[in-house]
Amino acid sequence: MMNKTMLSLIAVLMCCNSLFAQTPTLVYHDAREFPVIGQYHQETNYNRLPAKYEKTVRPAVWALSRNSAGIAIRFRTNATTIGARWKVLNNTSMNHMTATGIRGLDLYALVNNTWQFVNSAIPENGFNSERAILKKGDSTWREYVLFLPLYDGVDSLSIGVNAGALIEKPQQPLLLDKKPIVYYGSSIAQGGCATRPGMAYTNILVRLLQRPIVNFGFSGNGMFETAVGEAICETDPSLIVIDCNPNTSPELIHERAVKLVTQLRACKPQTKILLVENYMYEHGYFEKDVRDIVFRKRAELKKAYNDLLKAGVKNLYYLGGDGFLGEDHEGTVDGVHPTDVGMERFAAHILPTLRKLTKDQ
Amino acid sequence: MMNKTMLSLIAVLMCCNSLFAQTPTLVYHDAREFPVIGQYHQETNYNRLPAKYEKTVRPAVWALSRNSAGIAIRFRTNATTIGARWKVLNNTSMNHMTATGIRGLDLYALVNNTWQFVNSAIPENGFNSERAILKKGDSTWREYVLFLPLYDGVDSLSIGVNAGALIEKPQQPLLLDKKPIVYYGSSIAQGGCATRPGMAYTNILVRLLQRPIVNFGFSGNGMFETAVGEAICETDPSLIVIDCNPNTSPELIHERAVKLVTQLRACKPQTKILLVENYMYEHGYFEKDVRDIVFRKRAELKKAYNDLLKAGVKNLYYLGGDGFLGEDHEGTVDGVHPTDVGMERFAAHILPTLRKLTKDQ
């Protein structure tokens, strides 16, 4: 009996300031009235692949493509209270990632030309959530971006503002005026295990680069597949990043990487392509089997890169696996998936390369 | 139907490498056979306050004191596989903190005289968990420390090693040979919202200072109480830190801080006492009410400090609230509770002060 009571007590005590403050009744607007970033197609949903791919990609990739990782809403408002009402597709939970990262929302405002965290919207227990994010702000007009769940899909989403406030399409072109980076990868690229959507490294990079990223991170399923390559061919990217080593066995990496790059080079003759090596898993420092497979995967990708160069492929770049998570071994929750610490370090590490490769785009 | 399937599928895909590898049958040893750090009393449990306090502290403080925040097990072994079997008291869950931080374990090994993360033990869904943490290591003798759950209690805990391996009390005195710091505070001090126990800032500081910390962080209930002061008086601390502003209303801070410091000065005439100001909550940059209350609390604590100095209290120190979470507003999950990013920054910020105040202890 004490157990159940304590559970609720702890939750209330931790959260009372942020979650249960009195907020005015909000007027809700369907989020699809505002520009969506990180989604390359025009369907009125929050899926990463358009409907036709249900027939062509593996079922796991299709299901994961309905997770809204990397998708965000741009708007402006003078509201003093901003809230959200949303319904997720799966009500996913995992024991090494917060529900807020999995199926919550994350609001940033433009302050002095940079995106500043306002607050997250912690999901309820269940499919439906309703939360005030900003509660008693001032009525300054501000530009906002709202990041969507990383490991669940969004069935519906409305943004609420206090009665009398205005909400409309953005005036500032930021995040709307540059060609996206397309990032094809694993669970790490999908955002596991950021504590809130804005801390996925791809979303950190969106803010730092002021450029959208189409997130093709498919948890456990980033496998250099040409069926995904077809979707990449449909995008209009400033840069294509391929970071599929974590989910691909060493035996498959060379053949698949060569085939995918060849496919992408054919459909996008000029677009720069960056191959990214897997980083060392933290428990690899204690487990030789883990360490060995990490090195074998790297060697296979490097060989694919060299063979592609020899075959005359242009505008192909390579980033080695060292240095992504810092030197203190504290960047992951489970040895593999970055926490916010690992996500910040990953973003800082890859930023100069992405900046250089997109500077003329 | 797809929903449930996908839920399991995603969980398996994210975790398969780290969680479901085949591991040998382990031989289990009760963790109480090994030295326990971060617990000042001698009872054979994993509670922060001894049993007699059930009668003297508020029920919420008592219940929270049964959360094992800051408690850790020291041992050495030559095992190639190390696992844990543990049962928690409450099976607590919160939507803005991982289950791993709430009720998981976190193993570190001594490597080149520093504590290096080996892996976390992600809890199961339920009260009972069993996990391999190190799976196929080498048989080097190593010193270890295993951090216990931050937001749940431990009913029982056994450490498992592969058959034929030895596990015994530590040879190295690290974390066992220095007087602890006692840290009295709020949910933030208790470790909310680190992704795994080792990333609570107090546990980061344990590793950096090579000194145990008795964690008296009581979520929502760090309120400068003399009933907790009685327990602090029973410890043998190198330093007492009081960081109760987050949970205490401005009206109560001055009176209670003066009373608590007076009590502690009476029972510990020479021990240094550090008063810590609350930091600015991230949403306070957008919400004037939040901002104002943060500043009022700071002013009240500063006034208490000055009045105590005027009254002749010696060895009393003060740390202002700026700079704890960095400058980019990215250190929290909900504007209040630090993520691993905020925890790292908090630890780095307070480290020089703690080092200075404990250097002769």
Side-chain angles (χ1 to χ4, degrees):
Chain A
M1 215 171 63
M2 179 56 111
N3 294 351
K4 285 251 164 191
T5 316
M6 268 315 298
L7 199 159
S8 322
L9 182 66
I10 292 174
V12 171
L13 293 171
M14 276 194 75
C15 306
C16 50
N17 280 330
S18 27
L19 294 187
F20 300 112
Q22 287 293 321
T23 49
T25 308
L26 301 183
V27 181
Y28 279 94
H29 301 256
D30 191 300
R32 293 283 334 183
E33 293 172 22
F34 310 104
V36 176
I37 68 161
Q39 189 186 39
Y40 83 88
H41 59 82
Q42 300 304 318
E43 295 178 7
T44 56
N45 54 37
Y46 303 98
N47 298 344
R48 292 183 287 167
L49 292 176
K52 63 183 178 182
Y53 282 89
E54 185 169 4
K55 298 200 186 91
T56 61
V57 297
R58 285 183 299 113
V61 173
W62 171 249
L64 288 161
S65 79
R66 300 191 70 204
N67 291 178
S68 52
I71 298 175
I73 312 295
R74 277 281 283 114
F75 60 95
R76 73 190 287 263
T77 178
N78 64 351
T80 55
T81 302
I82 302 174
R85 197 150 66 185
W86 73 109
K87 183 179 178 184
V88 293
L89 293 178
N90 306 311
N91 196 24
T92 306
S93 66
M94 290 183 290
N95 281 353
H96 60 333
M97 184 166 173
T98 64
T100 308
I102 293 170
R103 50 194 169 80
L105 309 171
D106 214 349
L107 184 67
Y108 284 73
L110 194 66
V111 178
N112 299 328
N113 249 25
T114 65
W115 295 102
Q116 182 172 330
F117 174 67
V118 178
N119 216 336
S120 62
I122 300 174
E124 318 252 11
N125 293 316
F127 287 84
N128 293 289
S129 298
E130 183 169 355
R131 292 284 188 206
I133 307 176
L134 176 72
K135 287 172 199 91
K136 287 178 74 178
D138 55 52
S139 56
T140 309
W141 276 100
R142 284 199 177 89
E143 300 276 331
Y144 290 94
V145 59
L146 181 70
F147 292 100
L148 269 51
L150 297 172
Y151 263 80
D152 206 330
V154 174
D155 179 72
S156 60
L157 169 64
S158 298
I159 300 169
V161 294
N162 53 293
L166 296 169
I167 178 169
E168 54 187 45
K169 289 179 183 173
Q171 265 185 1
Q172 294 281 341
L174 286 171
L175 303 185
L176 302 168
D177 59 350
K178 288 182 184 169
K179 291 182 0 174
I181 293 168
V182 175
Y183 201 109
Y184 181 23
S186 68
S187 55
I188 300 162
Q190 187 173 336
C193 290
T195 68
R196 49 183 172 81
M199 292 306 284
Y201 73 81
T202 50
N203 287 339
I204 295 174
L205 288 164
V206 163
R207 298 192 297 277
L208 294 175
L209 292 165
Q210 297 285 20
R211 178 189 295 274
I213 293 182
V214 173
N215 187 320
F216 280 167
F218 300 114
S219 181
N221 285 279
M223 294 178 173
F224 299 96
E225 290 176 287
T226 52
V228 174
E230 284 174 34
I232 300 175
C233 284
E234 290 185 338
T235 66
D236 182 22
S238 56
L239 169 70
I240 298 165
V241 185
I242 303 173
D243 182 3
C244 289
N245 268 20
N247 294 153
T248 312
S249 69
E251 294 74 19
L252 294 175
I253 287 173
H254 181 274
E255 178 191 337
R256 289 192 170 195
V258 168
K259 202 167 160 190
L260 178 63
V261 170
T262 306
Q263 175 195 24
L264 297 175
R265 186 44 74 238
C267 73
K268 300 284 172 194
Q270 305 300 329
T271 307
K272 289 172 182 163
I273 299 173
L274 173 66
L275 299 176
V276 176
E277 264 184 8
N278 50 304
Y279 57 72
M280 177 59 71
Y281 294 155
E282 295 298 350
H283 54 273
Y285 294 96
F286 296 93
E287 297 175 334
K288 185 174 182 302
D289 289 3
V290 172
R291 198 159 58 238
D292 287 350
I293 203 167
V294 163
F295 286 129
R296 279 179 61 207
K297 287 183 177 193
R298 289 181 178 181
E300 290 297 320
L301 189 68
K302 194 63 182 272
K303 187 168 176 298
Y305 170 69
N306 286 326
D307 288 349
L308 285 159
L309 289 185
K310 271 182 236 160
V313 174
K314 304 288 181 211
N315 290 324
L316 184 65
Y317 301 86
Y318 195 87
L319 185 59
D322 290 337
F324 275 89
L325 298 184
E327 300 300 321
D328 65 1
H329 309 286
E330 296 287 31
T332 71
V333 61
D334 59 355
V336 176
H337 297 95
T339 59
D340 291 13
V341 164
M343 290 294 181
E344 275 208 339
R345 293 176 184 177
F346 193 118
H349 180 75
I350 203 170
L351 178 65
T353 303
L354 299 191
R355 236 191 248 292
K356 192 179 73 181
L357 296 180
T358 57
K359 71 172 189 295
D360 54 353
Q361 296 288 310
Chain B
M1 213 171 62
M2 180 53 113
N3 294 353
K4 285 249 166 194
T5 317
M6 268 315 300
L7 198 160
S8 323
L9 182 64
I10 291 174
V12 170
L13 293 171
M14 276 194 73
C15 307
C16 50
N17 280 331
S18 26
L19 294 185
F20 300 112
Q22 287 294 320
T23 50
T25 307
L26 301 184
V27 181
Y28 279 94
H29 301 255
D30 191 301
R32 293 284 333 185
E33 294 172 22
F34 309 104
V36 176
I37 68 161
Q39 189 185 40
Y40 83 89
H41 59 82
Q42 301 303 317
E43 295 178 7
T44 55
N45 55 36
Y46 303 97
N47 298 344
R48 293 183 288 168
L49 293 176
K52 63 183 178 182
Y53 283 89
E54 185 168 6
K55 297 201 187 90
T56 60
V57 298
R58 284 184 298 114
V61 174
W62 171 249
L64 288 162
S65 79
R66 301 191 72 204
N67 292 177
S68 53
I71 297 175
I73 313 295
R74 277 281 283 116
F75 60 95
R76 72 189 288 264
T77 178
N78 64 352
T80 55
T81 303
I82 302 175
R85 196 151 66 186
W86 72 109
K87 183 179 178 183
V88 294
L89 294 178
N90 306 312
N91 195 25
T92 307
S93 65
M94 290 182 290
N95 282 353
H96 59 333
M97 184 167 173
T98 64
T100 307
I102 293 169
R103 50 194 171 80
L105 309 171
D106 213 351
L107 185 67
Y108 283 73
L110 194 67
V111 178
N112 299 326
N113 249 25
T114 65
W115 295 102
Q116 182 172 328
F117 174 67
V118 178
N119 217 336
S120 62
I122 300 173
E124 318 252 11
N125 293 317
F127 287 85
N128 293 288
S129 297
E130 183 169 355
R131 293 283 187 206
I133 306 175
L134 176 72
K135 287 172 199 91
K136 288 178 74 178
D138 55 54
S139 56
T140 308
W141 276 99
R142 285 200 178 89
E143 301 275 331
Y144 291 94
V145 59
L146 181 70
F147 293 99
L148 269 52
L150 297 172
Y151 263 80
D152 205 332
V154 173
D155 179 72
S156 61
L157 168 65
S158 297
I159 300 169
V161 294
N162 52 295
L166 297 169
I167 177 168
E168 54 188 47
K169 289 178 183 172
Q171 266 186 359
Q172 295 280 341
L174 287 171
L175 304 185
L176 302 167
D177 59 350
K178 288 182 183 168
K179 292 184 357 176
I181 294 167
V182 176
Y183 201 111
Y184 181 23
S186 67
S187 56
I188 300 162
Q190 186 171 336
C193 291
T195 68
R196 48 183 174 81
M199 292 306 284
Y201 73 82
T202 51
N203 287 339
I204 296 173
L205 288 164
V206 163
R207 299 192 297 277
L208 294 175
L209 292 164
Q210 297 286 18
R211 179 189 294 274
I213 294 181
V214 173
N215 187 320
F216 280 168
F218 300 115
S219 182
N221 285 278
M223 294 178 174
F224 299 95
E225 289 176 287
T226 53
V228 174
E230 286 174 33
I232 300 175
C233 285
E234 291 185 337
T235 67
D236 182 21
S238 56
L239 169 70
I240 299 164
V241 185
I242 303 173
D243 182 3
C244 290
N245 268 21
N247 294 152
T248 313
S249 69
E251 294 73 21
L252 295 175
I253 287 173
H254 181 276
E255 179 191 337
R256 290 192 169 197
V258 168
K259 202 167 162 189
L260 178 64
V261 170
T262 306
Q263 175 194 26
L264 297 175
R265 185 45 73 236
C267 73
K268 300 284 172 194
Q270 305 299 331
T271 307
K272 289 172 180 162
I273 299 172
L274 173 66
L275 299 176
V276 176
E277 263 183 9
N278 50 305
Y279 57 73
M280 177 59 71
Y281 294 155
E282 295 299 350
H283 53 272
Y285 294 97
F286 295 94
E287 296 175 335
K288 186 173 182 302
D289 289 3
V290 172
R291 198 158 59 237
D292 286 351
I293 203 166
V294 165
F295 286 129
R296 279 180 61 206
K297 287 183 177 195
R298 290 181 178 181
E300 290 297 320
L301 189 69
K302 194 62 180 274
K303 187 167 177 300
Y305 170 68
N306 286 328
D307 287 350
L308 285 159
L309 289 186
K310 270 183 236 160
V313 174
K314 304 287 181 210
N315 290 323
L316 184 65
Y317 301 86
Y318 196 86
L319 186 58
D322 290 336
F324 275 88
L325 297 185
E327 301 299 322
D328 65 1
H329 309 286
E330 296 287 31
T332 71
V333 62
D334 59 355
V336 175
H337 296 95
T339 60
D340 291 13
V341 164
M343 292 292 181
E344 276 209 337
R345 293 177 184 176
F346 194 118
H349 180 75
I350 203 169
L351 179 66
T353 303
L354 299 191
R355 237 191 247 291
K356 192 179 73 182
L357 296 181
T358 57
K359 72 172 187 296
D360 54 353
Q361 295 289 310

